[in-house]
Amino acid sequence: MSGTIKVLKVAEKPSVAKSVSGILSRNQALRMRDGRSRYNRIFEFNYSIRGQPCHMLFTSVTGHLMELEFEDRFRKWHSCDPLDLYHAPVRKFVPEDKLDIKRTLEEEARRCQWLVLWLDCDREGENIAFEVINVCRAVNRHLTIRRARFSALIDREIHHAMQNLIDPNPWFSDAVDARQEIDLRIGASFTRFQTMLLRDKFVIDSATDDRNLVLSYGPCQFATLGFVVERYWEVQSHEPEEFWTINCSHRSDEGVATFNWMRGHLFDYTCAVIVYEMCVQEPTATVTKVQHKEKLKYPPYPLNTIELEKRASRYFRMSSEHTMKVAEELYQAGFISYPRTETDCFSSRTDLHAIVQEQQGHPDWGSYAQRLLDPETGLWRNPGSGGHDDKAHPPIHPTKFSTGEHGWSQDHRTLYELVVRHFLACVSQPAVGAETTVENDIAGELFSASGRVILERNYLDVYRYESWGGSMIPTYTVGQQFAPASLTLDTGVTRPPPLLSEADLLSCMDKAGIGTDATMHDHIKKLLDQFYATKDSNTRFSPTNLGEALVMGYDDMGYELWKPNLRSMMEFDMKQVSEGNKSKDEVLATCLQQMKACFFDARLNKVKLLEAMAVFFERSNRAVGGDNYAAGEVVRQCDLCQESSMVLKKNRDGNFMVGCSGFPQCRNAIWLPGSILEAAVTSNICSSCNPGPVYLIQFKFRQIEIPPGFNANHLGRIGGCDDTLRQLIEICGTGSRMSARGRGPTTTSSNGQRSSNRHNGCVHCQQTGHSSNDCPSQFSRSRNSQSHTHSENGDPPVSCSTCGMPCVLRTANTANNRGRKFYSCPSQECNFFIWEDGVSNGNGGRSIPSTNCSASNSGRRGGRGQSGRNRSHAADTTFVSATGDPVSNRCYVCGDPSHFANVCPNRGM
């Protein structure tokens, strides 16, 4: 290479750009100027890479340069069915607050030949690197792209990284892209679903402003909540059980030894008493075994992120989120290595002695560092391996000596000390102890006692966070006999496990593969921020009512969405992507297909969530959006405003309708039959309704309120092509009739065919044990109405010609017959029907064959009465449907077969 080349270098944070520039330029001839963003300055200096003169332009981003989001028409909560979010188009873009950073990169990239990326060396950093690459290559396609690999902001590390540049890793970036898209789609769909379902139905006292409450769902966050709730349930369900144990002690000139019963304890009091009495009757103890052995207590493995968080929580009660914040600040100041690492073993290339040498001058642990470096003490030991290596960063270790900097808080001092002492401990010999175990026999029952003497403390001298308690016991020999100083039968009770501490929770997440070392603390913080869980002064977690209700609801569905299994598989797949074993598209397709099925099932079983919330929270009287509608499921795009969606809703009276979610700006609405008992939107799409998609609705009607021959279960369409639904609206009217008829709101689930009739009370008397069609109150009501008719008119009551049951007097609601009364049999088996005025004319009424009245028959209007057992009576009997249409193919007023009676010109003459 010849001539000076211009190199654009980009760090992940402004502080890193400043530190690295200072190291590489040795703070000589270092110039600084502002970029488009006043927070991300540009540092200029000269440097040589393997003999090639370079002019360096070093700037930075601030974390991710781009965001992943749905296209605009899917971003509003009511703009689409949440189920659509699993395949809605997404885009990655630079948000408005990062546009100045983008412009700086574009301007500088145009006049450079190289782009060297100094982002953090983990998956997230690699993804940010490719965001920078995309912006810079868009304006300069000829850039040479290289990447610096470093783990600490110290001279030797930075110069080594600059002279040994590598290629960026696209697999790491793809793994992050896959995770971002999976989390976006799953999180958005479930968050919208459970927020719109629950927020306005309950008074959620955990929120200060529950109208703006968002019940967020995240795959990692919810699995983490599951750990908290599961342990809480274990504690709550624990029933203390009494047990009994025998304790023995012996006193000698050398001291007191306490012997424990080797059976442990018994839960049967009688058995315990019998054994105890045997020992009391023959109390002489005979020593049967004396064992002396050397015991080692090994130092900890090198420090990775999870262990740093766990130990900071355990030793200092410092939250994982605060631990990482302090560690990041220590790293950026150059005092510790990169704090986000899974690695817990040092490579052979690491100069461990050099790290120890830097600590010799410290007033607290400097003398121990000197002993470590002295070969005569034999204190040095190469560190063990925990078996984890992310191939990106070494374990966390000190990189610069300090006795405490100006401006450091106590937490900075405490965490720096932990990192140093941990490193010194892991290169030290284990502690050595001599352990003695003695067993004796009393009446056939064995008892044991043990004692320990610490011979060499070794790493315990510097690692003051751990102790190894020792206790002396008297000297015993095999065959020796003695009389116990005490022999007692003691009682106790079993205790529940403790609530999860933050260290316990991190261990659970790590074991199940929930999140990464860089994100686990974020998931825990979100639980607390969302008020799904609380943490007490002992750093132990309990679920709130809201958190427990959500987990209970999903658990009752039978789907383990709160268990770690699904997320563990996703994390494993994403690791496969980062290693190049699977493609991003393959993992996206598999994970999203699986979670889409879970979402669909969860929505069908949403009544379980409602029931679980009702256990903890009071129902709300608040209307949604200022109206009486409950938030519902998307059926189609609104054809009036063209912006929002038409959603299935239920008003306070229990009536169903399909209305625009943009209410009150858009008042488009379709009122559905008032006889609907349940309704739920399905994933099926109508093939004939346009513009689509128009989702089909599973209806369940009250059989007693629809005409004979109509099926109580109907898969309907609201796009205009459903004749059955249109006819039922004509016959039964829309939901506005329900309040006029005095029917209160129903509490029955709107979960479609998922709910079982045996769990629903009668819609008339709200009692269980009988169906709505067999309600005694309705029979009584029909009899009373008939008795009333008989007393007023002097006519006998009308009975069904098939089963003999008294008929119910009803009123038609069609355009041609509105207000006209008719009798029908309350039994579903008969389908008997007759107009009231037909009774006075001597028409006895007939049963309409149900075989010709299938609810799915789209040609009902022209085919009624074409066949059946009553056809032979057509000459002398008139058959009429509930809509006023004749059952025969001729007008019953004038006999003309060219038209029906409802349009007969002679009618009413």
Side-chain angles (χ1 to χ4, degrees):
M1 292 185 290
S2 59
T4 301
I5 61 175
K6 285 190 175 182
V7 179
L8 174 62
K9 303 198 295 183
V10 183
E12 191 166 323
K13 302 175 186 68
S15 59
V16 175
K18 181 179 180 181
S19 297
V20 175
S21 296
I23 292 172
L24 292 178
S25 67
R26 306 185 190 279
N27 288 318
Q28 297 177 356
L30 176 63
R31 298 177 300 281
M32 181 177 63
R33 59 184 172 88
D34 289 335
R36 291 278 187 170
S37 169
R38 58 175 180 164
Y39 303 107
N40 304 84
R41 294 182 170 181
I42 303 169
F43 300 91
E44 294 190 41
F45 57 94
N46 294 320
Y47 190 81
S48 177
I49 302 177
R50 295 186 177 273
Q52 169 64 52
C54 301
H55 182 67
M56 301 292 186
L57 305 173
F58 209 147
T59 187
S60 62
V61 293
T62 50
H64 276 282
L65 181 62
M66 297 182 176
E67 293 180 0
L68 184 71
E69 189 51 271
F70 295 106
E71 290 189 354
D72 290 342
R73 67 190 184 96
F74 293 96
R75 295 186 68 175
K76 291 184 178 179
W77 276 39
H78 293 285
S79 63
C80 67
D81 183 345
L83 193 67
D84 293 341
L85 299 179
Y86 286 90
H87 52 76
V90 294
R91 64 189 181 96
K92 215 171 185 183
F93 67 101
V94 179
E96 189 172 350
D97 61 337
K98 302 286 181 73
L99 287 177
D100 284 341
I101 299 175
K102 178 189 176 186
R103 294 187 186 104
T104 298
L105 294 175
E106 290 173 337
E107 291 173 359
E108 302 302 328
R110 285 190 180 98
R111 52 198 187 95
C112 290
Q113 291 84 46
W114 280 24
L115 172 64
V116 177
L117 301 154
W118 283 80
L119 290 305
D120 291 346
C121 298
D122 55 10
R123 290 188 206 169
E124 213 72 32
E126 211 70 14
N127 189 257
I128 300 173
F130 276 87
E131 293 173 357
V132 173
I133 290 173
N134 291 337
V135 168
C136 294
R137 272 210 166 140
V139 297
N140 186 348
R141 298 172 57 187
H142 304 291
L143 278 173
T144 298
I145 310 293
R146 303 295 282 165
R147 208 250 196 269
R149 194 181 190 91
F150 63 103
S151 296
L153 298 177
I154 55 177
D155 289 15
R156 65 174 183 271
E157 189 84 10
I158 296 303
H159 285 291
H160 179 271
M162 194 70 243
Q163 299 298 327
N164 295 275
L165 300 174
I166 60 173
D167 292 326
N169 187 340
W171 294 340
F172 273 27
S173 180
D174 283 349
V176 174
D177 282 338
R179 179 188 57 76
Q180 287 180 344
E181 186 169 342
I182 288 171
D183 287 352
L184 173 66
R185 294 185 186 278
I186 296 173
S189 62
F190 274 94
T191 297
R192 293 185 189 184
F193 161 66
Q194 63 189 27
T195 301
M196 291 191 292
L197 176 67
L198 304 174
R199 179 177 61 190
D200 294 292
K201 288 185 174 65
F202 298 94
V203 179
I204 302 176
D205 53 17
S206 64
T208 53
D209 182 8
D210 54 355
R211 270 199 175 277
N212 296 321
L213 174 68
V214 175
L215 303 180
S216 71
Y217 179 101
C220 288
Q221 168 193 338
F222 222 68
T224 305
L225 175 62
F227 290 125
V228 175
V229 174
E230 188 170 33
R231 175 57 64 87
Y232 178 77
W233 284 347
E234 289 177 12
V235 173
Q236 294 298 310
S237 63
H238 176 77
E239 295 183 4
E241 190 173 1
E242 192 173 11
F243 62 82
W244 290 265
T245 186
I246 302 173
N247 290 313
C248 167
S249 68
H250 175 234
R251 184 183 300 276
S252 71
D253 295 339
E254 299 179 46
V256 178
T258 299
F259 291 84
N260 299 313
W261 193 18
M262 295 184 68
R263 285 183 186 267
H265 52 253
L266 293 178
F267 290 100
D268 189 308
Y269 176 70
T270 302
C271 290
V273 168
I274 291 173
V275 174
Y276 175 67
E277 289 179 348
M278 290 169 52
C279 294
V280 170
Q281 291 173 4
E282 301 179 21
T284 302
T286 303
V287 177
T288 58
K289 180 180 179 182
V290 177
Q291 184 178 35
H292 302 282
K293 63 179 180 180
E294 184 179 78
K295 196 78 171 181
L296 300 179
K297 182 174 177 63
Y298 285 92
Y301 292 124
L303 194 62
N304 61 17
T305 304
I306 303 303
E307 278 301 314
L308 175 66
E309 294 171 340
K310 287 164 61 176
R311 291 174 186 268
S313 174
R314 191 180 298 125
Y315 302 153
F316 319 125
R317 295 186 177 179
M318 193 183 296
S319 72
S320 55
E321 186 256 342
H322 184 61
T323 297
M324 292 310 297
K325 178 178 180 294
V326 174
E328 180 72 22
E329 291 169 355
L330 290 174
Y331 159 69
Q332 292 187 23
F335 290 99
I336 66 172
S337 62
Y338 189 66
R340 293 181 174 87
T341 176
E342 299 175 8
T343 305
D344 53 13
C345 57
F346 284 103
S347 72
S348 57
R349 299 189 301 273
T350 305
D351 190 349
L352 302 176
H353 287 81
I355 300 174
V356 175
Q357 286 173 355
E358 291 183 347
Q359 301 296 328
Q360 292 183 92
H362 198 278
D364 292 334
W365 54 78
S367 59
Y368 185 85
Q370 294 171 12
R371 288 172 53 203
L372 267 175
L373 296 173
D374 186 355
E376 294 183 1
T377 62
L379 188 56
W380 182 275
R381 170 181 171 270
N382 288 329
S385 170
H388 302 93
D389 187 356
D390 59 13
K391 307 296 183 184
H393 297 285
I396 303 168
H397 61 274
T399 54
K400 187 192 297 186
F401 172 79
S402 177
T403 57
E405 301 296 311
H406 176 70
W408 273 13
S409 67
Q410 184 59 41
D411 289 338
H412 287 83
R413 296 174 185 274
T414 300
L415 206 63
Y416 177 75
E417 180 179 351
L418 172 62
V419 171
V420 176
R421 289 184 181 273
H422 193 100
F423 173 76
L424 296 176
C426 74
V427 294
S428 301
Q429 292 289 346
V432 182
E435 191 171 270
T436 301
T437 303
V438 178
E439 295 180 8
N440 66 57
D441 182 310
I442 303 176
E445 293 299 313
L446 297 179
F447 297 81
S448 69
S450 62
R452 182 188 306 116
V453 177
I454 299 178
L455 304 178
E456 299 175 26
R457 289 184 55 83
N458 294 334
Y459 88 93
L460 291 175
D461 284 334
V462 71
Y463 206 62
R464 58 189 181 89
Y465 314 108
E466 291 184 359
S467 62
W468 198 24
S471 60
M472 296 287 293
I473 62 172
T475 303
Y476 293 93
T477 58
V478 176
Q480 177 183 344
Q481 292 186 332
F482 59 85
S486 66
L487 189 63
T488 59
L489 179 64
D490 299 321
T491 185
V493 293
T494 58
R495 298 185 179 277
L499 294 171
L500 290 178
S501 67
E502 187 153 4
D504 297 332
L505 186 55
L506 287 165
S507 295
C508 291
M509 296 171 70
D510 186 34
K511 184 177 180 180
I514 301 301
T516 65
D517 58 288
T519 61
M520 286 184 188
H521 64 280
D522 284 332
H523 302 317
I524 294 175
K525 182 176 183 295
K526 286 177 182 176
L527 286 189
L528 301 174
D529 291 344
Q530 288 292 325
F531 205 68
Y532 288 167
T534 58
K535 185 171 65 171
D536 62 21
S537 59
N538 295 318
T539 73
R540 297 199 175 272
F541 289 84
S542 298
T544 61
N545 287 343
L546 180 58
E548 186 177 0
L550 291 174
V551 171
M552 181 186 295
Y554 287 114
D555 186 56
D556 288 345
M557 291 179 190
Y559 304 105
E560 296 185 338
L561 294 174
W562 57 280
K563 292 281 191 177
N565 308 351
L566 285 173
R567 186 61 188 189
S568 294
M569 289 188 289
M570 293 181 195
E571 294 285 359
F572 177 78
D573 284 343
M574 284 180 269
K575 187 173 183 180
Q576 293 293 99
V577 173
S578 70
E579 295 172 352
N581 298 324
K582 284 187 177 182
S583 70
K584 178 181 77 172
D585 293 339
E586 179 185 357
V587 169
L588 280 173
T590 302
C591 292
L592 292 178
Q593 181 180 11
Q594 185 180 41
M595 287 306 299
K596 183 178 180 180
C598 289
F599 176 83
F600 183 71
D601 286 339
R603 192 168 66 175
L604 286 179
N605 288 277
K606 62 187 178 186
V607 68
K608 300 296 185 183
L609 267 179
L610 295 171
E611 291 171 351
M613 288 290 289
V615 173
F616 298 93
F617 301 102
E618 293 182 1
R619 291 276 181 174
S620 172
N621 295 322
R622 181 173 61 249
V624 181
D627 196 52
N628 292 337
Y629 307 144
E633 302 162 298
V634 173
V635 179
R636 66 176 302 171
Q637 189 78 7
C638 180
D639 54 355
L640 183 60
C641 67
Q642 300 290 329
E643 293 183 357
S644 301
S645 296
M646 299 290 285
V647 296
L648 178 65
K649 300 180 179 180
K650 192 176 185 181
N651 69 6
R652 286 181 177 176
D653 292 328
N655 302 315
F656 287 92
M657 52 90 70
V658 176
C660 182
S661 60
F663 183 90
Q665 287 76 19
C666 178
R667 296 179 176 269
N668 191 14
I670 302 171
W671 284 97
L672 299 172
S675 54
I676 295 175
L677 178 63
E678 299 173 5
V681 179
T682 70
S683 60
N684 300 323
I685 297 176
C686 180
S687 58
S688 56
C689 292
N690 287 306
V694 178
Y695 292 95
L696 275 61
I697 305 175
Q698 181 66 56
F699 295 108
K700 185 174 184 179
F701 297 95
R702 299 180 183 89
Q703 185 74 62
I704 197 171
E705 296 178 5
I706 60 176
F710 283 85
N711 198 319
N713 294 305
H714 176 63
L715 189 63
R717 302 171 287 278
I718 59 105
C721 64
D722 191 334
D723 290 333
T724 299
L725 191 62
R726 185 169 59 246
Q727 291 170 42
L728 284 173
I729 292 175
E730 290 180 2
I731 297 169
C732 304
T734 59
S736 57
R737 288 184 64 225
M738 297 299 290
S739 57
R741 295 175 59 184
R743 184 178 305 285
T746 176
T747 57
T748 308
S749 161
S750 60
N751 201 32
Q753 291 178 316
R754 290 270 179 173
S755 60
S756 173
N757 289 335
R758 70 174 183 269
H759 296 303
N760 297 329
C762 171
V763 297
H764 303 298
C765 64
Q766 306 302 320
Q767 301 297 316
T768 58
H770 62 266
S771 68
S772 302
N773 298 321
D774 300 325
C775 181
S777 66
Q778 294 302 297
F779 295 153
S780 173
R781 188 179 307 168
S782 65
R783 292 190 188 101
N784 291 339
S785 70
Q786 291 171 43
S787 299
H788 179 69
T789 304
H790 179 69
S791 63
E792 285 187 348
N793 304 332
D795 296 330
V798 177
S799 300
C800 175
S801 63
T802 302
C803 66
M805 184 178 294
C807 293
V808 179
L809 183 63
R810 304 182 185 280
T811 303
N813 192 43
T814 60
N816 294 323
N817 290 289
R818 183 171 289 110
R820 191 178 180 191
K821 297 184 180 298
F822 63 95
Y823 288 97
S824 67
C825 181
S827 171
Q828 299 182 38
E829 307 296 331
C830 300
N831 298 322
F832 176 87
F833 168 86
I834 186 172
W835 291 113
E836 182 190 40
D837 53 12
V839 177
S840 60
N841 293 334
N843 291 331
R846 293 293 185 270
S847 296
I848 301 175
S850 61
T851 54
N852 291 329
C853 299
S854 168
S856 61
N857 184 0
S858 60
R860 290 177 52 90
R861 299 187 67 86
R864 286 205 188 108
Q866 298 289 325
S867 62
R869 58 178 179 165
N870 297 313
R871 185 175 181 183
S872 60
H873 300 278
D876 57 356
T877 306
T878 301
F879 299 96
V880 190
S881 75
T883 61
D885 295 333
V887 174
S888 64
N889 278 340
R890 56 187 293 172
C891 172
Y892 74 88
V893 176
C894 66
D896 188 343
S898 65
H899 62 261
F900 294 119
N902 60 338
V903 293
C904 179
N906 298 320
R907 184 170 182 172
M909 295 179 62

